[in-house]
C-alpha cells in the first residue's frame, strides 16, 4: 500500500466516546463496541468492512468483537479482520481490544464444539492464525456446555491465559447459577473472569433477574449483544415490513410474526424516543447504558452511518422516572 493511501486514525478519537471500567479489572472498554457477527464474512463487501472498522476506531471504538464461527462461512470474519488489521491497524494494535470466542460448532467430529479443553485450545489457535495475532485481549467461552465439567472448561481458559494466548477471559450466555460457579473456579485458579456477554435489550430483560446483581457483586463487567433486538428496536418496521428486511426473509433470529406481535410496543416506544430527541435505536442503546453495571453495548453495522447514529446514543443516557415508568408500562 502506498503511503498516500495509508490509513491514519483520527487524532481526536479518544475525545468522542466515554470509557467504562470492566468489573474490578484494569481494562476500560468504550461504551460502544463493534461486533463482527454480520457484514465481515467472505460473502460480504471487503471494502465496506474496512470502512466500518475505520469509522469505529476514528470515533474511539477500540473494541472489536469476533468469534471463531462468524462469517459466513465460519472463520471468514476472523480471516477478513486479520487482513484489515494488517493493512490498516497494525500500528494501532496496542490501542485495540480484540476478542474472540469458542463454544458453537466449528468443525466436524466430537472435538469441534462445546466446552472441552481440546476444543477451546485448538479453536483459539486457529483464530489467532486466521487473524495473524499472537494473542487476543479477551477470550470467551461462547455458551455453557452441561456435559463437560465446568472445571475443565474454566481450566482451559486459565491455561490459555498462562500460555499468553489471551490477556483476559470471559463467558457468554451463562445463566446466573452457572455463571457464579464459573466465577468461583476462575478466581480460585488465579485467572478471574472479567466480563460476561449476555443478550439484553428492551424486549429481552432476563439479565435483570439475578445476573446483573451477580456481576456487580462479583466484580465482573457486562457487554450486551443484540441491543436492537435484531432490528425491531429501530425505525425500520414502524411503517410496515420492508421487502429486504431480515423479518421478511425469515432470518433464523427474526420473522414476520415476531415483528407484528411487537409492533404496537415498537410504535409506543418510538414516541418516547421522539420526546427525548432520539430515534428509537438511540434510545434503545441509551436505555441499556443508563445502568452503570453495564460496561459496553455491542453494536452491529452494515453502514458507517449506523455507527455514527449509534454514537449519538451515548450523549444522553439519563432517563427520568416518568420515562422509565412509561417504558415499563409499554413492555408489560
Amino acid at each position: 500500500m502506498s503511503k498516500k493511501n495509508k490509513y491514519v486514525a483520527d487524532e481526536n478519537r479518544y475525545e468522542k466516546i466515554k470509557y467504562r471500567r470492566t468489573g474490578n479489572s484494569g481494562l476500560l472498554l468504550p461504551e460502544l463496541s463493534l461486533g463482527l457477527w454480520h457484514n465481515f464474512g467472505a460473502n460480504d463487501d471487503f471494502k465496506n468492512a474496512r470502512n466500518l472498522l475505520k469509522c469505529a476506531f476514528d470515533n474511539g471504538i477500540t473494541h472489536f468483537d469476533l468469534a471463531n464461527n462468524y462469517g459466513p462461512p465460519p472463520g471468514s470474519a476472523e480471516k477478513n479482520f486479520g487482513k484489515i488489521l494488517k493493512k490498516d491497524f497494525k500500528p494501532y494494535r496496542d490501542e485495540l481490544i480484540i476478542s474472540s470466542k469458542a463454544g458453537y460448532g466449528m468443525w466436524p467430529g466430537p472435538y469441534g464444539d462445546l466446552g472441552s479443553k481440546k476444543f477451546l485450545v485448538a479453536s483459539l489457535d486457529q483464530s489467532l492464525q486466521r487473524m495473524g495475532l499472537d494473542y487476543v485481549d479477551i477470550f470467551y467461552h461462547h455458551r455453557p456446555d452441561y456435559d463437560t465439567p465446568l472445571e475443565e472448561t474454566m481450566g482451559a481458559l486459565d491455561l490459555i491465559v498462562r500460555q499468553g494466548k489471551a490477556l483476559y477471559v470471559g463467558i457468554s450466555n451463562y445463566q446466573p447459577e452457572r455463571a457464579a460457579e464459573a466465577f468461583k473456579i476462575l478466581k480460585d485458579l488465579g485467572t478471574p473472569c472479567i466480563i460476561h456477554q449476555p443478550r439484553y435489550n428492551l424486549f429481552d430483560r432476563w439479565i435483570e433477574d439475578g445476573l446483573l446483581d451477580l456481576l456487580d457483586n462479583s466484580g465482573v463487567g457486562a457487554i450486551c449483544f443484540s441491543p436492537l433486538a435484531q432490528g425491531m428496536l429501530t425505525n425500520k418496521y414502524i411503517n410496515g415490513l420492508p421487502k429486504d428486511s431480515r423479518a421478511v426473509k425469515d432470518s433464523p433470529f427474526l420473522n414476520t410474526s415476531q415483528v407484528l406481535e411487537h409492533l404496537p410496543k415498537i410504535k409506543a416506544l418510538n414516541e418516547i424516543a421522539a420526546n427525548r430527541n432520539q430515534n428509537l435505536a438511540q434510545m434503545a442503546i441509551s436505555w441499556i447504558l443508563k445502568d452503570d453495571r453495564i460496561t459496553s453495548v455491542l453494536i452491529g453495522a452494515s453502514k458507517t452511518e449506523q455507527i455514527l447514529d449509534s454514537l449519538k446514543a451515548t450523549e444522553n443516557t439519563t432517563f427520568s422516572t416518568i420515562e422509565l415508568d412509561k417504558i415499563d408500562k409499554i413492555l408489560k
Side-chain angles (χ1 to χ4, degrees):
M1 182 181 286
S2 68
K3 288 185 179 179
K4 185 180 177 183
N5 295 324
K6 190 176 177 66
Y7 167 64
V8 178
D10 189 312
E11 60 182 19
N12 298 315
R13 58 193 177 277
Y14 292 114
E15 297 167 21
K16 298 182 181 183
I17 197 169
K18 294 187 282 293
Y19 297 81
R20 297 187 181 190
R21 187 162 301 281
T22 310
N24 286 341
S25 77
L27 186 65
L28 298 175
L29 290 182
E31 289 187 332
L32 297 184
S33 299
L34 183 63
L36 280 69
W37 182 21
H38 299 295
N39 306 308
F40 290 86
N43 302 330
D44 296 303
D45 184 335
F46 183 75
K47 184 178 177 182
N48 184 57
R50 285 179 74 186
N51 287 336
L52 291 171
L53 290 168
K54 289 176 188 178
C55 175
F57 189 58
D58 281 341
N59 286 279
I61 297 175
T62 53
H63 180 207
F64 301 145
D65 182 75
L66 298 104
N68 58 353
N69 62 331
Y70 288 176
S76 61
E78 288 184 329
K79 197 173 283 185
N80 279 340
F81 177 74
K83 291 177 186 174
I84 297 167
L85 189 68
K86 188 176 180 181
K87 283 176 181 287
D88 302 313
F89 291 97
K90 200 170 181 182
Y92 304 104
R93 171 62 184 103
D94 293 336
E95 296 182 43
L96 298 176
I97 300 300
I98 300 167
S99 60
S100 193
K101 315 177 199 74
Y104 286 94
M106 191 58 193
W107 61 83
Y111 317 121
D113 197 355
L114 296 168
S116 70
K117 183 182 287 188
K118 170 72 173 171
F119 172 52
L120 294 184
V121 171
S123 181
L124 180 53
D125 283 346
Q126 290 184 17
S127 291
L128 293 174
Q129 191 172 7
R130 282 191 289 268
M131 292 188 282
L133 292 172
D134 296 322
Y135 68 93
V136 291
D137 297 280
I138 305 171
F139 185 65
Y140 293 88
H141 185 224
H142 208 163
R143 61 167 170 169
D145 173 6
Y146 294 97
D147 293 322
T148 298
L150 196 56
E151 289 80 4
E152 178 178 340
T153 304
M154 296 304 111
L157 296 183
D158 173 63
L159 173 66
I160 282 163
V161 170
R162 294 182 189 280
Q163 289 177 331
K165 295 174 184 176
L167 301 184
Y168 302 96
V169 295
I171 57 175
S172 181
N173 297 307
Y174 275 58
Q175 295 291 323
E177 187 177 346
R178 190 77 166 173
E181 292 175 35
F183 298 160
K184 184 179 187 312
I185 293 168
L186 284 169
K187 186 177 180 182
D188 290 346
L189 288 169
T191 300
C193 179
I194 69 152
I195 194 163
H196 187 301
Q197 187 173 133
R199 179 166 54 209
Y200 184 47
N201 57 59
L202 281 159
F203 291 150
D204 188 356
R205 299 172 62 171
W206 72 273
I207 71 172
E208 295 172 12
D209 295 329
L211 183 64
L212 275 175
D213 287 337
L214 171 67
L215 299 181
D216 192 32
N217 294 332
S218 305
V220 177
I223 179 168
C224 303
F225 71 88
S226 199
L228 304 182
Q230 295 295 312
M232 283 196 291
L233 290 165
T234 68
N235 295 338
K236 184 182 290 185
Y237 298 108
I238 287 173
N239 298 313
L241 293 147
K243 290 180 181 178
D244 63 345
S245 65
R246 275 186 210 169
V248 170
K249 292 177 180 177
D250 268 345
S251 151
F253 305 99
L254 187 66
N255 57 51
T256 303
S257 60
Q258 282 175 283
V259 174
L260 294 176
E261 180 190 336
H262 284 89
L263 200 52
K265 294 178 181 179
I266 293 169
K267 289 181 175 180
L269 290 168
N270 188 57
E271 286 184 22
I272 297 175
N275 289 330
R276 287 172 52 82
N277 295 315
Q278 292 181 315
N279 61 40
L280 180 53
Q282 288 165 353
M283 186 182 80
I285 292 169
S286 298
W287 179 85
I288 297 172
L289 286 170
K290 77 184 185 308
D291 192 325
D292 58 14
R293 294 172 294 183
I294 305 294
T295 312
S296 185
V297 171
L298 199 53
I299 61 167
S302 58
K303 302 171 185 174
T304 55
E305 292 82 7
Q306 291 169 332
I307 295 173
L308 298 174
D309 188 69
S310 295
L311 281 160
K312 291 176 184 172
T314 66
E315 295 169 9
N316 180 14
T317 59
T318 302
F319 286 74
S320 69
T321 305
I322 294 171
E323 286 173 327
L324 292 174
D325 287 345
K326 282 183 181 177
I327 289 169
D328 286 342
K329 195 173 286 186
I330 291 166
L331 296 174
K332 277 181 181 175

